[in-house]
Amino acid sequence: MPHQQKPVISLDSVNFSYNEMSVLENISLEVFDGEFLGIVGPNAGGKSTLLKLILGQLQPRSGKIKVLGDTPCNKRHRIGYVSQHPSFPRDFPVTVEEVVLLGRLGMHNKSWLKSLRPGRYKAADYEAVKKALTEVEAEVLLHRQIGSLSGGQLQRVLLARALVSDPQILMLDEPTANIDQRLESDIFDLLKRLNERMTILVVSHDIGFVSSYVTRIACINQTLACHHTDAIDGQVIQSLYGEDVRMIAHHH
Amino acid sequence: MHITISMDFLVALTEFSFLQYALLAGLLASVGCGVMGTYVVVKRIAFIAGGVAHSVLGGMGAAIYYGYDPHLGALLAAIASALLIGWVRLNWRAQEDTLIGALWAIGMAIGILFISRTPGYQSDLMSYLFGNILLVPKESLWFMVSLDAVLLLMVAAYHRQFLAIVFDEEFSSLRGIPVTFFYLLLLVLIAVTVVLLIQVVGLILVLALLTLPAAIAGHYVHSLGRMMLLATLIGSFVSTTGLALSYEPDLPAGPVIILLAGGLYVLSAIFRRRHE
């Protein structure tokens, strides 16, 4: 892949710690337009923290982060994000359509005053919701209650909510952690298709599985070791996890 | 027996304007309890709403002591208390329940001290605490109409943002919605509702009327808009029926309304469990 263009995301010697505990050390990483980056590593290795730094939800202790040439907070509206644990109760009285529509709020980097504009959704918003749900093959769920969905269906709906604002970058934190393993490849096939028009970062603990989909892998365990897919072998994994890990070959 | 009670009540209703005012006050309060109660129930902030409701006594007491309209005092105190409690919840999340519990009691203590220092007002304390719907004056009805108008206008204007923050605060802040602003606005509107309901059931019993109709509605409908509508209807039903049932035996209307709402909630919860 030619990398003459500017990176869409760049981290320059980023350090982050929760209180006194260091979580990420000296992370430098550039992600280019059209990449499908898999972020792997052991639990509590700092993978989710990395995404939160890129979203501007957390501030680095030192180092610089740029998203689309600007600060994370100024560009976060161009990022679609699917978190690992949905932060809402499953029995909330709301339909799929209403949930996906929420992704249409705050679509532009408006001033604070403009974000107070009252009103209703427009026809274009409803159209965008239908399109996003069709894209994730969940258009039949439009009028379903959020509480009646299976884990896999909910994941598709949350993906649609992230897509409905037409983001330039899509970031997903363990998108297949709460769903049936048989559906894992469905979700990743979908992401592969979306990758044709947007940059994707996906956090996963399953290094063997994601390596067959992504264009590049970043291994995070406090520090960063970047590898292209073909460079993942037993030795790399062992140095990353610090113990013997059995490689399971995935064939597709 | 029920029929005779309602007949007596209906006859009295055509004769006495205070009963008509009481009925209207109940219906006006039901709009607030249906609309804002729905947010309280789905966001699970009944404790926060309770803190606002009880600390309002501080403002009422101060207003009485200094010779102002106690309902104006209640409105200002409710808004101040909503902002203070919202600020506590946003900044000291770890000790949220302790601090809100403290504000709850401190507000009441201030109110009782002020009232005890105001000659001749002690007798009104009971009606602030437990409400007296039969004493609602005509001017209060206009006050309630304007509070309802404010609530409905704000919810019509910002229902998208309110849904966003009650459903998923993290996502809302990532989308650039000013979560703190809308959270505090929601609490202020809940405070306005509390003042609306104090007229009917008093500040001790407000919490039940704010949560029970919406909770019952939540058993049967599954969208915020429908919950608001159904909760308003249930609120109207319990306030009207409560008023009618309490009239003949000369019972205080507030507690009868609350017991009706509570009974309905329990029946509904049992019915729902059996049909699941």
Coordinates of all heavy atoms in Angstrom, one line a residue, chain A residues 161-210:
Chain A
R161 N -25.7 2.1 13.9 CA -25.7 3.4 14.6 C -24.4 4.1 14.4 O -24.3 5.3 14.3 CB -25.9 3.1 16.1 CG -26.0 4.5 16.9 CD -26.3 4.2 18.4 NE -25.2 3.6 19.1 CZ -25.1 3.6 20.4 NH1 -26.1 4.2 21.2 NH2 -24.1 3.1 21.1
A162 N -23.3 3.3 14.3 CA -22.0 4.0 14.1 C -21.8 4.4 12.6 O -21.2 5.3 12.3 CB -20.8 3.0 14.5
L163 N -22.5 3.6 11.7 CA -22.3 3.9 10.3 C -23.3 5.0 9.8 O -23.0 5.6 8.7 CB -22.7 2.6 9.5 CG -21.6 1.5 9.6 CD1 -22.2 0.3 8.8 CD2 -20.3 1.9 9.0
V164 N -24.3 5.3 10.5 CA -25.4 6.1 10.0 C -24.9 7.6 9.8 O -25.5 8.4 9.1 CB -26.7 6.0 10.9 CG1 -26.5 6.8 12.1 CG2 -27.9 6.4 10.1
S165 N -23.8 7.9 10.5 CA -23.3 9.3 10.3 C -22.3 9.4 9.2 O -21.6 10.4 9.1 CB -22.7 9.8 11.7 OG -21.7 8.9 12.1
D166 N -22.1 8.3 8.5 CA -21.2 8.2 7.4 C -19.8 8.6 7.8 O -19.2 9.5 7.3 CB -21.7 9.1 6.2 CG -21.0 8.7 4.9 OD1 -20.5 7.6 4.8 OD2 -21.0 9.6 4.0
P167 N -19.2 7.8 8.7 CA -17.9 8.1 9.3 C -16.7 7.8 8.3 O -16.9 7.0 7.4 CB -17.8 7.3 10.5 CG -18.6 6.1 10.2 CD -19.7 6.5 9.3
Q168 N -15.6 8.4 8.5 CA -14.4 8.2 7.7 C -13.6 7.1 8.3 O -12.9 6.4 7.6 CB -13.6 9.5 7.6 CG -12.8 9.6 6.4 CD -12.3 11.0 6.3 OE1 -12.9 12.0 6.8 NE2 -11.2 11.2 5.6
I169 N -13.7 6.9 9.6 CA -13.0 5.9 10.3 C -14.0 5.1 11.2 O -14.9 5.7 11.8 CB -11.9 6.5 11.3 CG1 -11.0 7.4 10.5 CG2 -11.2 5.5 12.1 CD1 -10.1 8.4 11.4
L170 N -13.8 3.8 11.2 CA -14.7 3.0 12.1 C -13.8 2.2 13.1 O -12.8 1.6 12.7 CB -15.4 2.0 11.2 CG -16.5 1.1 11.8 CD1 -17.6 1.9 12.4 CD2 -17.0 0.1 10.8
M171 N -14.2 2.4 14.4 CA -13.4 1.7 15.4 C -14.3 0.8 16.2 O -15.4 1.2 16.6 CB -12.8 2.7 16.3 CG -11.9 3.7 15.6 SD -10.6 4.4 16.7 CE -11.5 5.1 18.0
L172 N -13.9 -0.5 16.4 CA -14.7 -1.4 17.1 C -13.9 -2.1 18.2 O -12.8 -2.5 18.0 CB -15.3 -2.5 16.1 CG -16.1 -2.0 14.9 CD1 -15.2 -2.0 13.7 CD2 -17.3 -2.9 14.7
D173 N -14.5 -2.2 19.4 CA -13.8 -2.8 20.5 C -14.4 -4.2 20.8 O -15.6 -4.3 21.2 CB -14.0 -1.9 21.7 CG -13.0 -2.3 22.8 OD1 -12.3 -3.4 22.7 OD2 -12.8 -1.5 23.8
E174 N -13.7 -5.2 20.5 CA -14.2 -6.6 20.6 C -15.6 -6.8 20.1 O -16.5 -7.2 20.8 CB -14.2 -7.0 22.1 CG -12.8 -6.9 22.8 CD -12.0 -8.2 22.7 OE1 -12.4 -9.1 21.9 OE2 -10.9 -8.2 23.3
P175 N -15.8 -6.6 18.8 CA -17.2 -6.6 18.2 C -17.8 -8.0 18.3 O -19.0 -8.1 18.2 CB -17.0 -6.2 16.8 CG -15.5 -6.5 16.5 CD -14.8 -6.3 17.7
T176 N -17.0 -9.1 18.5 CA -17.6 -10.4 18.5 C -17.5 -11.1 19.9 O -17.7 -12.3 20.0 CB -16.9 -11.3 17.5 OG1 -15.5 -11.3 17.7 CG2 -17.2 -10.8 16.1
A177 N -17.2 -10.3 20.9 CA -17.0 -10.9 22.3 C -18.3 -11.5 22.8 O -18.3 -12.5 23.5 CB -16.4 -9.8 23.2
N178 N -19.4 -10.8 22.5 CA -20.7 -11.2 23.2 C -21.6 -12.0 22.3 O -22.8 -12.1 22.5 CB -21.4 -10.0 23.7 CG -20.6 -9.2 24.7 OD1 -20.0 -9.8 25.6 ND2 -20.6 -7.9 24.5
I179 N -21.1 -12.5 21.2 CA -22.0 -13.2 20.2 C -21.5 -14.6 19.9 O -20.3 -15.0 20.2 CB -22.2 -12.4 18.9 CG1 -20.9 -12.4 18.1 CG2 -22.7 -11.1 19.2 CD1 -21.1 -11.7 16.8
D180 N -22.4 -15.4 19.4 CA -22.1 -16.8 19.0 C -20.9 -16.9 18.1 O -20.7 -16.1 17.1 CB -23.3 -17.3 18.2 CG -23.4 -18.8 18.2 OD1 -22.3 -19.4 17.9 OD2 -24.5 -19.3 18.4
Q181 N -20.0 -17.8 18.4 CA -18.8 -17.9 17.6 C -19.0 -18.1 16.1 O -18.2 -17.7 15.3 CB -17.9 -19.0 18.1 CG -16.8 -18.4 19.0 CD -15.8 -19.5 19.5 OE1 -16.1 -20.7 19.4 NE2 -14.6 -19.1 19.9
R182 N -20.1 -18.8 15.8 CA -20.4 -19.1 14.4 C -20.7 -17.8 13.6 O -20.5 -17.8 12.4 CB -21.6 -20.0 14.3 CG -21.3 -21.5 14.6 CD -22.6 -22.3 14.6 NE -23.5 -21.8 15.6 CZ -24.8 -21.5 15.4 NH1 -25.3 -21.8 14.2 NH2 -25.6 -21.0 16.3
L183 N -21.1 -16.8 14.3 CA -21.4 -15.5 13.7 C -20.3 -14.6 13.5 O -20.3 -13.5 12.9 CB -22.6 -14.8 14.4 CG -23.9 -15.6 14.6 CD1 -24.8 -14.9 15.5 CD2 -24.5 -15.9 13.2
E184 N -19.1 -15.0 14.2 CA -18.0 -14.1 14.2 C -17.5 -13.8 12.8 O -17.2 -12.6 12.5 CB -16.8 -14.9 14.9 CG -15.9 -13.9 15.6 CD -14.9 -14.7 16.5 OE1 -15.2 -15.9 16.9 OE2 -13.9 -14.1 16.9
S185 N -17.5 -14.8 11.9 CA -17.0 -14.5 10.6 C -18.0 -13.7 9.8 O -17.6 -12.9 8.9 CB -16.6 -15.8 9.8 OG -17.7 -16.7 10.0
D186 N -19.3 -13.8 10.1 CA -20.3 -12.9 9.4 C -19.9 -11.5 9.6 O -19.9 -10.7 8.7 CB -21.7 -13.2 10.0 CG -22.2 -14.6 9.5 OD1 -21.5 -15.2 8.7 OD2 -23.3 -14.9 9.9
I187 N -19.7 -11.1 10.9 CA -19.4 -9.8 11.3 C -18.1 -9.3 10.6 O -18.0 -8.2 10.0 CB -19.2 -9.6 12.8 CG1 -20.6 -9.9 13.5 CG2 -18.7 -8.2 13.2 CD1 -21.5 -8.7 13.6
F188 N -17.1 -10.2 10.6 CA -15.8 -9.8 10.0 C -15.9 -9.7 8.4 O -15.3 -8.8 7.8 CB -14.7 -10.7 10.4 CG -14.0 -10.2 11.7 CD1 -14.5 -10.5 12.9 CD2 -13.0 -9.3 11.6 CE1 -13.9 -10.0 14.1 CE2 -12.4 -8.8 12.8 CZ -12.9 -9.2 14.0
D189 N -16.8 -10.5 7.8 CA -17.0 -10.4 6.4 C -17.6 -9.0 6.1 O -17.3 -8.4 5.1 CB -17.9 -11.5 5.9 CG -17.2 -12.9 5.9 OD1 -15.9 -12.9 5.8 OD2 -17.9 -13.9 5.9
L190 N -18.5 -8.6 6.9 CA -19.2 -7.3 6.8 C -18.2 -6.2 6.9 O -18.2 -5.3 6.1 CB -20.2 -7.2 7.9 CG -21.1 -6.0 8.0 CD1 -21.9 -5.9 6.7 CD2 -22.1 -6.2 9.1
L191 N -17.3 -6.3 7.9 CA -16.3 -5.3 8.1 C -15.3 -5.2 6.9 O -15.0 -4.1 6.4 CB -15.5 -5.5 9.4 CG -16.2 -5.4 10.7 CD1 -15.3 -5.7 11.9 CD2 -16.9 -4.0 10.8
K192 N -15.0 -6.4 6.4 CA -14.1 -6.4 5.2 C -14.8 -5.6 4.0 O -14.1 -4.9 3.3 CB -14.0 -7.9 4.8 CG -12.9 -8.2 3.8 CD -11.5 -8.3 4.5 CE -10.4 -8.1 3.5 NZ -9.1 -7.8 4.2
R193 N -16.1 -5.8 3.9 CA -16.8 -5.0 2.8 C -16.8 -3.5 3.1 O -16.5 -2.7 2.2 CB -18.3 -5.5 2.7 CG -18.5 -6.5 1.6 CD -20.0 -6.6 1.2 NE -21.0 -6.4 2.3 CZ -21.5 -7.4 3.0 NH1 -21.2 -8.6 2.8 NH2 -22.4 -7.1 3.9
L194 N -17.0 -3.1 4.4 CA -17.0 -1.7 4.7 C -15.6 -1.1 4.5 O -15.5 0.1 4.3 CB -17.4 -1.5 6.2 CG -18.9 -1.8 6.5 CD1 -19.1 -1.9 8.0 CD2 -19.8 -0.8 5.9
N195 N -14.6 -1.9 4.7 CA -13.2 -1.5 4.5 C -12.9 -0.9 3.1 O -12.0 -0.2 2.9 CB -12.3 -2.6 4.9 CG -10.8 -2.2 4.9 OD1 -10.0 -2.9 4.3 ND2 -10.5 -1.0 5.5
E196 N -13.8 -1.3 2.2 CA -13.6 -0.7 0.8 C -13.8 0.8 0.8 O -13.3 1.5 -0.1 CB -14.6 -1.4 -0.2 CG -14.2 -2.8 -0.5 CD -15.3 -3.6 -1.1 OE1 -16.3 -3.0 -1.6 OE2 -15.2 -4.9 -1.1
R197 N -14.5 1.3 1.7 CA -14.7 2.8 1.7 C -14.3 3.5 3.0 O -14.4 4.7 3.1 CB -16.2 3.2 1.3 CG -17.3 2.6 2.2 CD -18.6 3.3 1.8 NE -19.3 3.7 2.9 CZ -20.3 2.9 3.4 NH1 -20.6 1.7 2.8 NH2 -21.0 3.3 4.5
M198 N -13.9 2.8 4.0 CA -13.5 3.5 5.2 C -12.3 2.7 5.9 O -12.2 1.5 5.8 CB -14.6 3.7 6.2 CG -15.3 2.5 6.7 SD -16.8 2.9 7.7 CE -18.0 3.3 6.4
T199 N -11.6 3.5 6.7 CA -10.5 2.9 7.5 C -11.1 2.2 8.7 O -12.0 2.8 9.3 CB -9.5 4.1 8.0 OG1 -9.2 4.8 6.8 CG2 -8.3 3.5 8.6
I200 N -10.6 1.1 9.1 CA -11.2 0.3 10.2 C -10.1 -0.1 11.2 O -9.0 -0.5 10.8 CB -12.0 -0.9 9.7 CG1 -13.1 -0.5 8.8 CG2 -12.5 -1.8 10.9 CD1 -14.0 -1.7 8.4
L201 N -10.4 0.2 12.5 CA -9.6 -0.3 13.6 C -10.4 -1.3 14.4 O -11.5 -0.9 14.8 CB -9.1 0.8 14.5 CG -7.9 1.7 14.0 CD1 -8.3 2.6 12.9 CD2 -7.4 2.5 15.2
V202 N -9.9 -2.5 14.6 CA -10.7 -3.4 15.4 C -9.9 -4.0 16.5 O -8.8 -4.5 16.2 CB -11.5 -4.4 14.5 CG1 -10.5 -5.2 13.7 CG2 -12.4 -5.3 15.3
V203 N -10.4 -3.9 17.7 CA -9.7 -4.6 18.9 C -10.2 -6.0 19.0 O -11.4 -6.2 18.9 CB -10.0 -3.8 20.2 CG1 -9.7 -4.6 21.4 CG2 -9.2 -2.5 20.2
S204 N -9.3 -6.9 19.2 CA -9.7 -8.3 19.4 C -8.6 -9.0 20.3 O -7.5 -8.6 20.3 CB -9.8 -9.0 18.1 OG -10.1 -10.4 18.3
H205 N -9.1 -10.0 21.0 CA -8.1 -10.8 21.8 C -7.8 -12.1 21.0 O -6.9 -12.8 21.3 CB -8.7 -11.2 23.1 CG -10.0 -12.0 22.9 ND1 -11.2 -11.5 22.7 CD2 -10.2 -13.4 22.9 CE1 -12.1 -12.4 22.6 NE2 -11.5 -13.6 22.7
D206 N -8.5 -12.3 19.8 CA -8.3 -13.5 19.1 C -7.3 -13.2 17.9 O -7.8 -13.0 16.8 CB -9.6 -14.0 18.6 CG -9.6 -15.4 18.0 OD1 -8.4 -15.9 17.7 OD2 -10.6 -16.0 17.7
I207 N -6.1 -13.3 18.2 CA -5.1 -12.9 17.1 C -5.1 -13.8 15.9 O -5.0 -13.3 14.8 CB -3.6 -12.9 17.8 CG1 -2.6 -12.3 16.8 CG2 -3.2 -14.3 18.2 CD1 -1.3 -12.0 17.4
G208 N -5.3 -15.1 16.1 CA -5.3 -16.0 15.0 C -6.5 -15.7 14.1 O -6.3 -15.8 12.8
F209 N -7.6 -15.4 14.6 CA -8.8 -15.2 13.8 C -8.7 -13.9 13.0 O -8.9 -13.9 11.8 CB -10.1 -15.1 14.7 CG -11.4 -15.0 14.0 CD1 -11.9 -16.0 13.2 CD2 -12.0 -13.7 13.9 CE1 -13.0 -15.9 12.5 CE2 -13.2 -13.6 13.2 CZ -13.7 -14.7 12.5
V210 N -8.4 -12.8 13.7 CA -8.4 -11.5 13.0 C -7.3 -11.4 11.9 O -7.5 -10.7 10.9 CB -8.3 -10.2 13.9 CG1 -9.5 -10.1 14.8 CG2 -7.0 -10.2 14.6

